[in-house]
Structures are given as C-alpha cells and as structure tokens.
C-alpha cells in the first residue's frame, strides 16, 4: 500500500502526474475530516489520533466510502453536535451500531484491539467539553467547577444519546465490562 502511494520525483509521465494529483486530493480530504487533539494518555491509540494515517488499502477504502457516501456518519460525536436534524442522524447511527455492538465477540475484539471504550468515553468528553459553563449554584468560591449547559442543542436535542446507547450496549457484555 505504501509503495503504491509513493509519488515519483519526476512527474514526466501521465501516471506520475495522476499520482501527484491523487495525493493532493487525498490530503485535502483527510484535512476536511479533522479529529480533536488526542488526550495525552491516549496519544498511542490509532482511533484517537489528530491526523488519520491509513496503512492498508482497506482503511483508505473505508475512508473514501465514509467521505463520499455517508458524510453524516463521520466523527459521529462532532456531527451530532453540529447536526440540524440530530434525531434522524441518531436513528441512522443507532441502526448500524446496534448491529455491531450486540455481537459479544466482536464488541470484545473492538474493545481489546481498537480501544473502543476509550474512543467512546473520549468522544463523549469532547462533546461535553464544548458546552461547559461555570456552576452558578450556591457559593461561587466553594462551587467553582463547571457543568454542562442544558440549553445547548447537544443536550436539549439529546445529541449525546447514540454514544451513551452504544456505551451501554458494549458494557452489557460481561467480558467487555470486566
């Protein structure tokens, strides 16, 4: 895969020019789907990297499928918080994730090999971190922590629900929960 994507230094041939142009398009597409900066503890988790790096043709194929066919499913937590119709998006997402996460062996494998629980929790944290406000109850000097603003669309429209539902489904499997 890596060798097939190398762009030759000499762009004299039509194929070399094609490779150069494709690499430019590919890099632009990667930039159009940014991830938040990874948390220090999870910098090694491939799913939580700031920049996607495809190592196989299958990974890139899935990327392009998502990019062109299912744009609303990309970076689900970010898309849910930006969606103008979070209910419809949530319903679509839930149909896919229920099928994935109801299989215990698949859920366990995704948890062990792809750090699924970390990805889910970090996604929820990222979603909630954008709607924090200072606590206004009681003494401000004692209660100086932040709380989520329930008036924001993320909370008001229950945009977080598909992630919470997925987390619940995954944790319903005893081996995963343990």
């Amino acid at each position: 895969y890596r060798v097939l994507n190398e762009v030759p230094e000499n762009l004299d041939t039509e194929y070399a020019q094609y490779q150069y142009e494709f690499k430019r398009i590919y890099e632009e597409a990667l930039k159009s789907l940014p991830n938040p900066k990874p948390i220090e503890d999870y910098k090694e988790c491939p799913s939580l990297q700031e920049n996607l790096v495809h190592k196989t043709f299958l990974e890139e194929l899935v990327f392009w499928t998502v990019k062109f066919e299912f744009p609303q499913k990309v970076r689900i937590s970010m898309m849910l918080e930006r969606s103008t119709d979070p209910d419809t998006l949530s319903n679509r997402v839930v149909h896919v994730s229920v099928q994935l996460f109801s299989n215990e062996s698949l859920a366990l494998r995704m948890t062990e090999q792809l750090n699924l629980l970390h990805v889910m929790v970090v996604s929820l944290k990222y979603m909630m971190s954008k709607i924090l406000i200072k606590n206004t109850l009681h003494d401000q000097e004692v209660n100086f922590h932040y709380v989520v603003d329930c008036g924001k669309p993320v909370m008001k429209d229950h945009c977080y629900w598909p992630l919470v539902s997925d987390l619940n489904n995954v944790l319903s499997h005893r081996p995963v929960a343990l």
Side-chain angles (χ1 to χ4, degrees), residues 8-27:
E9 290 181 28
N10 185 353
L11 299 177
D12 289 345
T13 68
E14 186 178 341
Y15 182 70
Q17 290 173 2
Y18 168 80
Q19 283 182 297
Y20 177 80
E21 183 62 18
F22 178 77
K23 185 165 181 81
R24 186 188 63 74
I25 292 168
Y26 172 71
E27 288 171 352

Side-chain angles (χ1 to χ4, degrees), residues 2-177:
R2 182 183 48 78
V3 171
L4 290 172
N5 282 302
E6 288 178 355
V7 176
E9 290 181 28
N10 185 353
L11 299 177
D12 289 345
T13 68
E14 186 178 341
Y15 182 70
Q17 290 173 2
Y18 168 80
Q19 283 182 297
Y20 177 80
E21 183 62 18
F22 178 77
K23 185 165 181 81
R24 186 188 63 74
I25 292 168
Y26 172 71
E27 288 171 352
E28 281 180 20
L30 285 174
K31 289 177 189 172
S32 73
L33 301 172
N35 259 349
K37 257 192 163 41
I39 297 171
E40 192 64 37
D41 295 346
Y42 303 112
K43 276 196 165 188
E44 301 307 314
C45 179
S47 305
L48 296 174
Q49 295 305 304
E50 188 171 7
N51 300 310
L52 288 175
V53 177
H54 300 123
K55 295 180 181 157
T56 65
F57 177 67
L58 179 60
E59 289 177 353
E60 186 177 332
L61 185 61
V62 169
F63 167 77
W64 285 111
T65 302
V66 168
K67 174 79 176 145
F68 289 118
E69 297 294 326
F70 309 109
Q72 74 261 37
K73 292 181 183 163
V74 177
R75 307 296 184 270
I76 300 300
S77 64
M78 290 190 286
M79 297 309 285
L80 283 168
E81 70 183 60
R82 294 181 194 147
S83 177
T84 56
D85 187 9
D87 289 338
T88 302
L89 179 55
S90 296
N91 289 333
R92 289 180 184 164
V93 171
V94 168
H95 288 299
V96 173
S97 62
V98 164
Q99 292 174 11
L100 286 173
F101 302 142
S102 56
N103 180 312
E104 183 176 296
S105 63
L106 183 57
L108 182 60
R109 201 163 66 204
M110 287 188 289
T111 300
E112 292 173 342
Q113 295 176 7
L114 304 173
N115 300 308
L116 180 63
L117 294 176
H118 292 98
V119 170
M120 290 176 150
V121 170
V122 168
S123 295
L124 277 168
K125 180 182 180 197
Y126 176 75
M127 184 184 273
M128 296 302 143
S129 69
K130 296 183 142 205
I131 59 167
L132 293 177
I133 56 173
K134 282 191 172 190
N135 179 29
T136 57
L137 297 177
H138 308 295
D139 185 1
Q140 298 258 339
E141 291 183 23
V142 178
N143 277 339
F144 54 87
H145 61 279
Y146 287 83
V147 296
V148 294
D149 183 352
C150 293
K152 297 286 185 185
V154 170
M155 296 301 288
K156 197 167 55 178
D157 299 333
H158 308 286
C159 296
Y160 59 89
W161 186 245
L163 284 168
V164 172
S165 176
D166 288 346
L167 189 58
N168 189 37
N169 287 339
V170 170
L171 291 173
S172 70
H173 303 297
R174 184 174 171 78
V176 174

